[in-house]
Amino acid sequence: MLGLMSEKTIALVTGANKGIGYEIAAGLSALGWSVGVGARDERRGTDAVAKLRAAGADAFVVPLDVTDDESVTAAARWVEERAGRLDVLVNNAGIAGGWPEEPSTIDLETVRRLVETNVMGVIRVTNAMLPLLRRSAHPRIVNQSSHVGSLTLQTTPGVDLGGISGAYAPTKTFLNAVTIQYAKELSGTNILINNACPGYVATDLNGFSGTQTPEQGAAIAVRLAALPDDGPTGQVFDDSGVVPW
């Protein structure tokens, strides 16, 4: 799935100062790309960039809070000033609610908070970066989804996705639906947009209870970020292939 690009590729990964996001940034850097580390906390972003650079990466920090319009606008301006375009956007930033979490007792503010980050944050960042992506010869967008967002898997007898999730899982279903609409809108362009399912990864999102490492979880997003021009668009993938809606 890895495609070769003739010039230095510029990528931006949101929520990249730790966990899966950091490993995505490291994986893209290993391809020889210049990678922006999007981080809500600039100090943590700077620390992550220093670690990546120590390993030989071409990385730079991008202060970025996906829930804040001004922050996202400033991030797009910073990328434009630095590179003049953006080749790859990985919308990795996300948060989780409680788990398990029954919808009949959930705090509505929790739902709002998760939708704001996991869905509206993706839309906000994508729309701000689209003008820069349109300047690229090989633009790619990768959204970080999850198996728990699959309605097919959620309703398949015998499939265990970790119990009831009144907020987090629905935000990933929402994100899947939004990605379909972006794919329809961008179908006449060279922009490929897909969602990645990293698997059950041990991160602070789940109290480090996952069975895979962040590096393993990052692999599918890296592959989708480097798709060739004739690659798929408007789908969800994990390491095994297409994930059903």
Side-chain angles (χ1 to χ4, degrees), residues 17 29 33 47 52 58 70 81 95 113 130 178 184 206 217 222 236:
N17 60 282
S29 297
W33 297 4
D47 290 345
L52 287 167
D58 178 1
E70 291 185 4
E81 291 173 354
I95 57 175
R113 184 168 56 87
L130 267 175
V178 167
K184 287 182 176 181
N206 54 38
V222 172
V236 187

Side-chain angles (χ1 to χ4, degrees), residues 145-170:
S145 187
S146 170
H147 292 99
V148 301
S150 167
L151 295 178
T152 298
L153 295 180
Q154 285 280 8
T155 55
T156 299
V159 175
D160 182 11
L161 294 177
I164 299 172
S165 171
Y168 178 75

Side-chain angles (χ1 to χ4, degrees), residues 103 111 115 119 148-149 151 154 165-176:
V111 179
V115 170
V119 182
V148 301
L151 295 178
Q154 285 280 8
S165 171
Y168 178 75
T171 65
K172 293 304 182 180
T173 306
F174 192 172
L175 177 61
N176 288 349

Side-chain angles (χ1 to χ4, degrees), residues 6-245:
S6 60
E7 57 184 359
K8 189 99 170 182
T9 300
I10 309 298
L12 171 64
V13 184
T14 68
N17 60 282
K18 62 179 180 178
I20 299 173
Y22 176 86
E23 294 299 339
I24 293 172
L28 298 180
S29 297
L31 299 177
W33 297 4
S34 180
V35 181
V37 173
R40 183 171 54 183
D41 185 314
E42 186 172 359
R43 181 186 61 79
R44 292 179 180 177
T46 300
D47 290 345
V49 165
K51 184 178 177 182
L52 287 167
R53 287 178 176 172
D58 178 1
F60 57 97
V61 66
V62 180
L64 177 56
D65 179 349
V66 303
T67 68
D68 183 86
D69 289 340
E70 291 185 4
S71 175
V72 172
T73 299
R77 185 166 54 246
W78 166 230
V79 173
E80 180 173 26
E81 291 173 354
R82 178 184 176 88
R85 71 176 196 285
L86 183 64
D87 299 300
V88 173
L89 170 63
V90 181
N91 286 305
N92 168 77
I95 57 175
W99 201 296
E101 196 166 43
E102 297 177 345
S104 61
T105 57
I106 197 170
D107 177 10
L108 288 180
E109 186 53 41
T110 297
V111 179
R112 292 189 186 95
R113 184 168 56 87
L114 266 66
V115 170
E116 179 64 44
T117 297
N118 297 351
V119 182
M120 294 181 66
V122 171
I123 296 172
R124 181 179 289 111
V125 174
T126 299
N127 290 351
M129 300 297 168
L130 267 175
L132 299 177
L133 287 162
R134 293 184 189 278
R135 298 176 188 173
S136 170
H138 310 279
R140 307 288 181 261
I141 302 172
V142 182
N143 298 327
Q144 197 72 286
S145 187
S146 170
H147 292 99
V148 301
S150 167
L151 295 178
T152 298
L153 295 180
Q154 285 280 8
T155 55
T156 299
V159 175
D160 182 11
L161 294 177
I164 299 172
S165 171
Y168 178 75
T171 65
K172 293 304 182 180
T173 306
F174 192 172
L175 177 61
N176 288 349
V178 167
T179 298
I180 291 173
Q181 302 309 313
Y182 271 115
K184 287 182 176 181
E185 179 182 355
L186 299 171
S187 62
T189 74
N190 61 348
I191 301 176
L192 303 182
I193 179 170
N194 292 286
N195 286 5
C197 291
Y200 190 31
V201 178
T203 69
D204 57 3
L205 210 67
N206 54 38
F208 299 96
S209 61
T211 56
Q212 293 178 278
T213 67
E215 184 177 5
Q216 290 172 322
I220 183 60
V222 172
R223 289 166 63 194
L224 293 173
L227 284 174
D229 290 341
D230 61 352
T233 191
Q235 298 185 62
V236 187
F237 294 89
D238 64 9
D239 284 334
S240 299
V242 177
V243 177
W245 297 113

